Each structure stands twice: as structure tokens, then as C-alpha cells.
């Protein structure tokens, strides 16, 4: 079974749920407290590739740092994506969580039971629900 990395915020109920789900399925993982150890532009760009997502797909535009910048109204196109990524690196609280990075090179935004089940399947474990 592969080991995954979780971009985790301990005060987030979705992050806590993901940890509980992985613990119950006995899936090994390592935590990255991404608020304390923010990703670089290159790391976030790679995570977006692994998620098959665009920066605005995983941005928490309701957070105060996003509201202060008017990010909900920013264009969502190739030309402005670097601006989104730079804002999320500077303010990692804008990044949706938990993000599960699997050793097979894929990633899952683990916010729903279905997404967590998919991560377990990819990791070679079966959900206990």
C-alpha cells in the first residue's frame, strides 16, 4: 500500500475527517501542515497538475485574504492563473483542504466521502463505510 501526503489544517473538520478515514482504513500517510510550511509556486503548480484542476478550482475565495483582493472577480484564464497561484502561495489559507497526494502521482481533494473513497481505492485500500 502506498503512503500519501496530506496537506492538512488541524482546525479544519474536513482535514480531520480525512485523517480519521485513512486511520480507519490503516492507510499510511504523512502530514504537511501547509499553513506553516506553504508550498512554493512550483509545488502548487505540480499539485494542480496532479489534481487535473485550475488554481481557482481549489481557491477559497470567501476567505478574508481573497475577499480583500477581490479574487472572486479575477479572470479565470491562462494569463491570470499565475496570479492566482502566487496569491495562494502567499496566503496558503486560500488553498482548499485536505489535499491527498498519492505516491502513484495522482492527487485528490478529499472534501467529500466519495473523494476519500477514491483516494483509498487508488491507495489500494477499501473504505470501511
Amino acid at each position: 500500500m502506498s503512503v500519501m501526503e496530506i496537506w492538512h489544517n488541524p482546525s479544519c473538520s474536513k482535514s480531520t475527517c480525512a485523517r480519521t478515514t485513512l486511520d480507519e482504513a490503516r492507510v499510511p500517510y504523512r502530514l504537511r501542515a501547509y499553513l506553516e510550511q506553504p508550498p512554493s509556486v512550483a509545488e502548487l503548480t505540480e499539485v494542480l497538475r496532479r489534481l487535473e484542476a485550475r488554481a481557482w478550482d481549489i481557491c477559497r475565495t470567501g476567505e478574508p485574504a481573497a475577499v480583500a483582493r477581490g479574487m472572486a472577480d479575477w479572470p479565470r484564464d491562462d494569463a491570470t492563473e499565475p496570479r492566482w497561484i502566487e496569491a495562494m502561495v502567499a496566503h496558503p489559507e486560500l488553498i482548499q483542504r485536505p489535499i491527498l497526494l498519492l505516491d502513484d502521482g495522482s492527487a485528490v481533494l478529499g472534501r467529500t466521502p466519495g473523494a476519500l473513497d477514491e483516494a483509498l481505492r487508488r491507495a489500494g485500500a477499501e473504505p470501511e463505510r
Side-chain angles (χ1 to χ4, degrees), residues 53-71:
R54 302 299 297 262
W56 46 84
D57 295 332
I58 66 164
C59 185
R60 300 170 57 86
T61 57
E63 289 289 320
V67 172
R69 286 162 182 72
M71 290 178 73

Side-chain angles (χ1 to χ4, degrees), residues 6 8-10 12-27 29-31 98 100 110 116:
I6 303 173
H8 174 66
N9 176 350
C12 171
S13 63
K14 301 285 186 184
S15 287
T16 301
C17 180
R19 286 188 69 192
T20 299
T21 298
L22 295 174
D23 287 342
E24 288 173 354
R26 293 184 168 86
V27 173
Y29 59 87
R30 59 192 168 275
L31 293 177
L100 305 132
L116 293 173

Side-chain angles (χ1 to χ4, degrees), residues 10-91:
S11 65
C12 171
S13 63
K14 301 285 186 184
S15 287
T16 301
C17 180
R19 286 188 69 192
T20 299
T21 298
L22 295 174
D23 287 342
E24 288 173 354
R26 293 184 168 86
V27 173
Y29 59 87
R30 59 192 168 275
L31 293 177
R32 176 171 179 171
Y34 73 96
L35 296 177
E36 297 166 15
Q37 183 187 3
S40 67
V41 168
E43 285 176 308
L44 185 54
T45 300
E46 173 62 12
V47 166
L48 289 166
R49 184 196 65 74
R50 291 172 71 171
L51 286 167
E52 298 179 356
R54 302 299 297 262
W56 46 84
D57 295 332
I58 66 164
C59 185
R60 300 170 57 86
T61 57
E63 289 289 320
V67 172
R69 286 162 182 72
M71 290 178 73
D73 297 324
W74 284 8
R76 298 173 185 215
D77 56 29
D78 291 344
T80 58
E81 190 161 27
R83 182 179 179 201
W84 284 83
I85 292 169
E86 289 170 11
M88 292 163 58
V89 166
H91 302 278

